[in-house]
């Protein structure tokens, strides 16, 4: 009897223990940490990330007035507390892979909820993957690609040669175009309009972006035009000559752009420079000579819109809107000298009226119509396609001037500068100036040359001007590819005064993925993992 009671007692304890365990396991399921997320919510996150304003995937800071635009030599930081102009790329970040894994998960979530294999989240995801791998390989060289998006436990992916990464990018964009064609034909409208911060779910707009971006990638590969694997000229011609199959941007309304929106829940998209921080940072940022000289050397009125004059040079002249009064600092200048000169009024500051008057500012164009026009003009000059390069070139210039409110059919304009005696952005004053486009264009330095090599340099320079404070690293990429415009080195850029050619790989790769990291350096012929090695793209 005692034995039976003992066995029953043990059974009761086992039942209680089992019940408690189940209750504990149930309690451990955190309702605030979901294991499944709707694809539209992931879409909103990754689209914010590619703008450079998200928590990851910013590629070093590509949003307006960020580090990347220091490195594009559009502006300078002159006060070390707020930043400097050093190309601080030693050991870049792989955090874009976190965004890429979210893209993979987004498509998985769409499929788990009944979407067909070809669906809007998959198609847009292909563009995002192409966008990031294009930038990753352009910055580092060879990067993990074929194994990079495997399950999280794969922390040692092999490195894919740069040529193959570019092939992957081009193939993803081609597949995205094919899939979007099918989805549009089926009138698919399932892409979340509320989470699509760029195109509000418009798949036709996404398709134009895919093909316009592909033209950017192909131009970046201009030094590899003879590569049989990539077949760059033929791919460019295929898009250009088949607009029905490969629609591209038709106006600036098609641009992939972040529109800063300070209202409501979107306060994180407030324009970086605005009335609230004018008093604290306005004197800490001045213009870069590379950009300002690109404008003043061709008497370009866009300098009157984006910059204020160097007031120490203006003196008592009542007409400050003259090109001789606009001067930028060399990005390579040491910070102490730059700060002293800026404080003395020897440099142009950022245009107070345009960039500090409100919380919306200019949209940050990530991929734009203006750039596409110049890319087409360059492709014509390179002999990849047939057409009138001057038409695209001239239209690109006009579109850029339109962006800044310069109607090229007019001749009288007004610039707004902050006088040196004023201390509030509300005290900007109007200054009239004249500009005639026909006179501007007939300058030998502006009118498209009949010599192809000279014409390409003119096209690239105008594209650089048009991409002011937008388009991510494209200003730097184009300089690195063509030498236009000539970037300025010196103590202020670090790296022994030399403009770098690449980012170094993340330090974590040296420990967590050492075998593949070491192999990647050897396969590229790098003598070290530093900023001055020449990647395949540049050879």
């Amino acid at each position: 009897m005692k034995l039976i009671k003992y066995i029953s007692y043990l059974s009761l304890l086992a039942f209680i223990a089992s019940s408690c365990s189940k209750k504990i396991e149930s309690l451990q399921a955190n309702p605030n940490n979901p294991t499944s997320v709707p694809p539209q919510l992931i879409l909103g996150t990754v689209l914010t990330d590619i703008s450079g304003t998200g928590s990851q995937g910013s590629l070093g800071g590509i949003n307006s007035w960020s580090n990347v635009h220091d490195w594009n030599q559009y502006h300078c930081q002159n006060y070390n507390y707020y930043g400097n102009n050093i190309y601080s790329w030693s050991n870049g970040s792989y955090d874009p892979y976190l965004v890429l894994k979210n893209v993979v998960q987004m498509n998985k979530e769409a499929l788990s909820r009944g979407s067909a294999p070809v669906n809007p989240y998959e198609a847009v995801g292909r563009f995002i993957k192409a966008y990031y791998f294009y930038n990753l390989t352009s910055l580092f060289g060879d990067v993990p690609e074929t194994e990079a998006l495997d399950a999280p436990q794969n922390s040692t992916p092999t490195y894919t040669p740069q040529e193959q990464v570019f092939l992957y990018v081009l193939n993803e964009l081609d597949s995205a175009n094919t899939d979007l064609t099918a989805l549009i034909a089926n009138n698919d409208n399932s892409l979340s309009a509320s989470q699509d911060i760029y195109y509000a779910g418009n798949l036709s707009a996404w398709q134009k972006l895919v093909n316009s971006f592909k033209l950017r990638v192909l131009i970046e590969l201009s030094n590899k035009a003879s590569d049989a694997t990539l077949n760059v000229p033929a791919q460019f011609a295929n898009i250009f000559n088949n607009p029905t199959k490969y629609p591209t941007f038709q106006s600036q309304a098609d641009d992939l752009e972040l529109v800063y929106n300070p209202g409501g829940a979107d306060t994180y998209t407030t324009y970086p420079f605005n009335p609230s921080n004018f008093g604290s940072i306005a004197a800490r940022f001045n213009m870069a000579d590379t950009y300002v000289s690109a404008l003043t050397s061709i008497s370009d009125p866009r300098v009157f819109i984006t910059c204020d004059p160097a007031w120490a040079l203006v003196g008592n002249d009542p007409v400050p809107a003259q090109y001789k009064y606009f001067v930028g600092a060399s990005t390579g200048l040491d910070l102490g000298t730059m700060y002293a000169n800026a404080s003395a009024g020897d440099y142009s500051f950022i245009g107070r009226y345009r960039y500090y008057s409100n919380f919306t500012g200019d949209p940050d164009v990530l991929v734009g119509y203006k750039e596409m026009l110049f890319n087409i003009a360059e492709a014509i000059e390179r002999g990849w396609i047939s057409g009138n390069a001057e038409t695209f070139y001239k239209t690109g210039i006009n579109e850029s001037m339109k962006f800044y409110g310069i109607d090229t059919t007019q001749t009288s304009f007004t610039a707004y500068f902050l006088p040196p005696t004023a201390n509030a952005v509300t005290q900007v004053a109007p200054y009239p100036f004249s500009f005639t486009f026909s006179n501007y264009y007939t300058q030998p330095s502006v009118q498209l040359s009949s010599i192809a090599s000279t014409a390409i340099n003119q096209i690239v320079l105008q594209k650089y001007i048009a991409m002011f404070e937008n388009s991510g690293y494209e200003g730097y990429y184009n300089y690195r590819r063509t030498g236009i415009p000539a970037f300025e080195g010196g103590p202020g850029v670090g790296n022994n005064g030399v403009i770098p050619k690449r980012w170094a790989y993340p330090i974590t790769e040296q420990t967590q993925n050492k075998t593949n990291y070491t192999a990647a350096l050897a396969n590229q012929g790098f003598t070290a993992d530093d900023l001055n090695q020449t990647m395949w793209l540049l050879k």
Side-chain angles (χ1 to χ4, degrees), residues 219-383:
I219 283 292
E220 175 67 6
L221 289 162
S222 64
N223 292 334
K224 299 296 181 180
S226 61
D227 186 285
T229 299
L230 299 174
N231 208 5
V232 170
Q235 290 213 53
F236 200 105
N238 198 31
I239 295 172
F240 181 75
N241 294 326
N242 296 278
T244 301
K245 183 177 180 180
Y246 299 102
T248 56
F249 292 158
Q250 298 302 302
S251 73
Q252 293 188 61
D254 293 328
D255 289 355
L256 178 71
E257 62 181 20
L258 174 69
V259 177
Y260 289 94
N261 176 13
D266 293 333
T267 53
Y268 70 92
T269 60
T270 296
Y271 197 70
F273 291 168
N274 55 69
S276 69
N277 58 29
F278 173 78
S280 59
I281 68 172
R284 310 307 183 195
F285 291 80
N286 53 259
M287 302 307 298
D289 180 60
T290 303
Y291 171 70
V292 176
S293 291
L295 291 162
T296 58
S297 64
I298 55 175
S299 301
D300 194 306
R302 284 172 283 188
V303 77
F304 300 149
I305 309 301
T306 60
C307 310
D308 273 14
W311 288 106
L313 303 182
V314 175
N316 296 321
D317 193 331
V319 186
Q322 299 184 57
Y323 299 111
K324 64 183 179 180
Y325 295 144
F326 288 77
V327 177
S330 170
T331 300
L333 202 60
D334 76 86
L335 224 55
T337 303
M338 186 186 296
Y339 177 70
N341 293 345
S343 300
D346 293 337
Y347 301 138
S348 293
F349 282 107
I350 295 162
R352 269 56 173 146
Y353 175 71
R354 189 172 184 91
Y355 300 112
Y356 282 100
S357 291
N358 57 60
F359 292 86
T360 304
D362 286 344
D364 185 9
V365 179
L366 302 176
V367 185
Y369 174 62
K370 302 182 294 295
E371 175 198 348
M372 187 198 75
L373 293 169
F374 292 121
N375 288 340
I376 292 171
E378 182 177 340
I380 294 171
E381 290 293 342
R382 291 187 179 278

Side-chain angles (χ1 to χ4, degrees), residues 294-295 297-302 374 390 393-394 397 401 435 437-449 454-455 457-459 461-462 465:
L295 291 162
S297 64
I298 55 175
S299 301
D300 194 306
R302 284 172 283 188
F374 292 121
E390 187 172 35
Y393 170 72
K394 210 170 181 180
I397 296 172
M401 289 192 174
F435 169 71
F437 184 79
S438 59
N439 293 341
Y440 168 80
Y441 191 75
T442 54
Q443 297 177 97
S445 54
V446 176
Q447 188 166 21
L448 197 65
S449 173
T454 303
N457 289 347
Q458 292 173 307
I459 292 165
L461 181 66
Q462 286 287 348
I465 292 170

Side-chain angles (χ1 to χ4, degrees), residues 157-175:
T158 57
Y159 279 62
T160 302
Q162 189 170 48
E163 179 189 32
Q164 295 302 311
V165 178
F166 270 105
L167 182 62
Y168 168 82
V169 168
L170 295 171
N171 287 341
E172 281 293 281
L173 292 170
D174 202 45
S175 295

Side-chain angles (χ1 to χ4, degrees), residues 380-438:
I380 294 171
E381 290 293 342
R382 291 187 179 278
W384 297 357
I385 54 176
S386 298
N388 189 327
E390 187 172 35
T391 298
F392 290 97
Y393 170 72
K394 210 170 181 180
T395 304
I397 296 172
N398 273 278
E399 288 291 320
S400 177
M401 289 192 174
K402 183 195 299 183
F403 181 83
Y404 292 110
I406 300 172
D407 181 349
T408 54
T409 66
Q410 304 298 313
T411 58
S412 297
F413 303 91
T414 302
Y416 295 88
F417 306 138
L418 186 68
T421 55
N423 54 20
V425 72
T426 54
Q427 296 174 314
V428 293
Y431 298 92
F433 70 92
S434 298
F435 169 71
T436 303
F437 184 79
S438 59

Side-chain angles (χ1 to χ4, degrees), residues 485-498:
F487 277 23
E488 299 176 6
V493 304
N495 193 41
N496 295 316
V498 178

Side-chain angles (χ1 to χ4, degrees), residues 103-159:
V103 171
V104 173
Q105 187 61 34
M106 177 175 69
N107 191 42
K108 287 182 179 178
E109 296 293 349
L111 293 173
S112 73
R113 286 164 169 77
S115 292
V118 174
N119 65 77
Y121 295 96
E122 167 266 337
V124 171
R126 287 185 185 276
F127 166 78
I128 298 169
K129 287 189 285 185
Y131 177 84
Y132 271 115
F133 276 113
Y134 164 74
N135 279 287
L136 283 165
T137 193
S138 295
L139 292 169
F140 289 102
D142 293 3
V143 291
E145 180 265 300
T146 54
E147 300 175 4
L149 304 183
D150 288 350
Q153 62 266 26
N154 183 2
S155 60
T156 58
T158 57
Y159 279 62

